[in-house]
Amino acid sequence: LLRTTPAAGAIGSCRYKLKDGNLEDFERILEVMRAHDAGYFFYIGGNDSMDTADRVSRLAQSEGYGLVVTGVPKTIDNDLGDDKFTIIDHTPGYGSAARYWAYLLQSVEEENRGMSGSEPVAVLQAMGRKSGYIPAAARLGDPDRRMPLQIYTAEAGHNLDSLLDNVRMQIGKSGRCIVVLSEGFDVGGLGEKHDAFGHIEYGASGSTVAQVVTNYLNEKGVYAKVAGTVPAAGQGNVTGQVPGIIQRSTSIHASTVDQDEAFAVGRKAVEIAVSEGTGFMATILRKSWERYEPVYDKVLLRTVANSVRQLPAQWLDKSGTDVTDDFIRYAMPLIGAGWPQVPLEKGLQRFARLKRVFVEKKCSPYVPVNFR
């Protein structure tokens, strides 16, 4: 059941930032590991997680503690690695988020096509603070480019004014427009709130990018061609949607490729830990750009720690409102070709529910540095 259960619900997650000066926190990790005679530590996550794993590994080595620390990649943002894809080709989680957006766009297209007489513009906000891989995945729902779709990634450098011009131009061509925005699209201040890592929590802010853009387009006037009339500025012809965390946790949209690769890269991590020792992350590379086939390998944690990858500039078209065919060729194989086999019980999805049995505590109570 774990294979088809959203991971956070089954095993939990950690959102505590281990900062540079918090040596006490790192020492506490080793204290707990020693107390329970732990020999292996596998840490699943993205950029910050791999940085933490690297620090714990190096600290254990410096103190002569034979702890084997191995990283396991996971992030829907796909922003782990380098722009040349030599560290990792893609991260588990991204294929499923991409599949969600591909299928969502197909459904949005049907709604927009039918309602375009009164609501010609649909605005949707996708996850991705600084990296545009998730909004770019919307194009996978229309690889032949038949929809009036515009994609605004964080890397493209657009603003409200250029977006307005582009949307008006699209309406002039097709009478309607579907807009997919990165949550990091530049609309100015949002009264942002931040998580423990200092990242903006767009869904928890006073407003959202989609709301600002929707309001702006309605205020400036985006007109439907109805019986030759032109509505006054301020009329609500633009609608906005923010899917939020469902784009990373909807099991029925999981990619079967993602499921297989998550299992395989986890198994590779164990093999690396046993045969190679500490300080590595299991990774997924691509055997060939002609025909997709994953290759599992290892990379030094020190190499991957805090690496940040953005959508390559060559995968954005000249207008900055779409992605190229090269991106489609890269991402399409990752969404899979079949539905995940999620078991049902009385018509509802059946998820794994682990009984959490904790070992007896052997260390004294501890308050993390950031909570003092």
Side-chain angles (χ1 to χ4, degrees):
L1 291 178
L2 283 173
R3 186 181 179 88
T4 53
T5 299
I11 63 175
S13 183
C14 173
R15 296 300 295 168
Y16 179 78
K17 175 68 173 178
L18 287 161
K19 299 180 179 179
D20 290 340
N22 294 8
L23 182 59
E24 286 182 64
D25 285 343
F26 286 96
E27 291 285 4
R28 173 65 174 191
I29 292 173
L30 295 189
E31 178 188 4
V32 173
M33 295 287 187
R34 284 194 182 98
H36 295 278
D37 195 26
Y40 296 87
F41 173 32
F42 297 91
Y43 201 15
I44 305 170
N47 316 61
D48 290 305
S49 301
M50 295 307 112
D51 178 56
T52 295
D54 178 51
R55 291 173 187 236
V56 172
S57 175
R58 287 189 281 126
L59 181 61
Q61 284 183 303
S62 70
E63 297 188 3
Y65 175 27
L67 180 69
V68 176
V69 183
T70 307
V72 188
K74 180 278 307 175
T75 171
I76 66 166
D77 294 323
N78 201 35
D79 59 353
L80 188 66
D82 61 344
D83 291 340
K84 298 185 183 301
F85 303 90
T86 59
I87 294 175
I88 191 168
D89 182 81
H90 59 279
T91 48
Y94 176 64
S96 294
R99 187 174 188 264
Y100 174 90
W101 274 97
Y103 286 15
L104 178 63
L105 254 292
Q106 287 186 287
S107 298
V108 170
E109 160 69 3
E110 297 304 302
E111 170 73 12
N112 182 251
R113 186 150 46 89
M115 296 297 293
S116 59
S118 58
E119 298 172 4
V121 182
V123 176
L124 297 99
Q125 176 180 314
M127 283 183 168
R129 302 179 186 95
K130 298 180 180 179
S131 179
Y133 284 94
I134 296 179
R139 174 51 70 193
L140 303 180
D142 178 34
D144 296 327
R145 307 178 194 278
R146 295 174 180 172
M147 301 179 192
L149 172 63
Q150 294 184 359
I151 299 170
Y152 293 86
T153 67
E155 297 91 340
H158 279 290
N159 55 34
L160 287 170
D161 290 336
S162 60
L163 183 148
L164 174 63
D165 291 340
N166 291 332
V167 170
R168 283 177 170 170
M169 188 180 304
Q170 184 65 58
I171 288 183
K173 293 178 180 178
S174 58
R176 61 192 183 94
C177 185
I178 300 171
V179 176
V180 176
L181 299 157
S182 163
E183 62 186 355
F185 180 79
D186 181 16
V187 295
L190 289 170
E192 297 92 342
K193 297 181 181 179
H194 296 77
D195 64 16
F197 291 83
H199 302 319
I200 296 174
E201 291 185 302
Y202 290 100
S205 301
S207 184
T208 65
V209 165
Q211 288 173 332
V212 172
V213 169
T214 299
N215 292 341
Y216 182 79
L217 293 178
N218 279 324
E219 289 168 4
K220 293 296 182 179
V222 174
Y223 310 130
K225 296 179 179 179
V226 181
T229 62
V230 179
Q235 184 165 329
N237 295 324
V238 183
T239 60
Q241 305 290 332
V242 183
I245 61 172
I246 59 174
Q247 60 199 282
R248 73 182 186 201
S249 60
T250 307
S251 284
I252 199 62
H253 283 300
S255 160
T256 53
V257 171
D258 221 358
Q259 291 175 329
D260 291 341
E261 293 184 348
F263 185 93
V265 79
R267 179 172 56 195
K268 182 65 176 180
V270 175
E271 293 172 355
I272 292 168
V274 172
S275 63
E276 304 288 346
T278 193
F280 295 99
M281 182 190 80
T283 189
I284 307 173
L285 299 173
R286 187 175 300 229
K287 189 172 183 179
S288 168
W289 286 92
E290 302 302 320
R291 178 179 176 275
Y292 178 71
E293 183 180 345
V295 176
Y296 302 96
D297 206 337
K298 67 181 185 296
V299 62
L300 286 169
L301 282 172
R302 192 169 303 180
T303 299
V304 73
N306 280 324
S307 64
V308 177
R309 176 170 69 194
Q310 292 185 304
L311 194 70
Q314 65 269 25
W315 284 357
L316 290 172
D317 77 347
K318 293 181 180 179
S319 71
T321 63
D322 204 348
V323 290
T324 64
D325 289 344
D326 284 341
F327 169 79
I328 296 174
R329 283 190 287 270
Y330 163 80
M332 187 64 82
L334 307 182
I335 69 174
W339 287 97
Q341 299 301 308
V342 181
L344 299 181
E345 189 173 78
K346 297 181 180 179
L348 300 177
Q349 300 172 90
R350 184 183 176 197
F351 292 146
R353 286 292 176 265
L354 304 182
K355 183 179 181 181
R356 298 186 181 186
V357 180
F358 296 97
V359 297
E360 182 181 351
K361 290 185 178 182
K362 295 186 177 181
C363 299
S364 58
Y366 177 80
V367 178
V369 173
N370 299 342
F371 294 160
R372 296 175 187 172

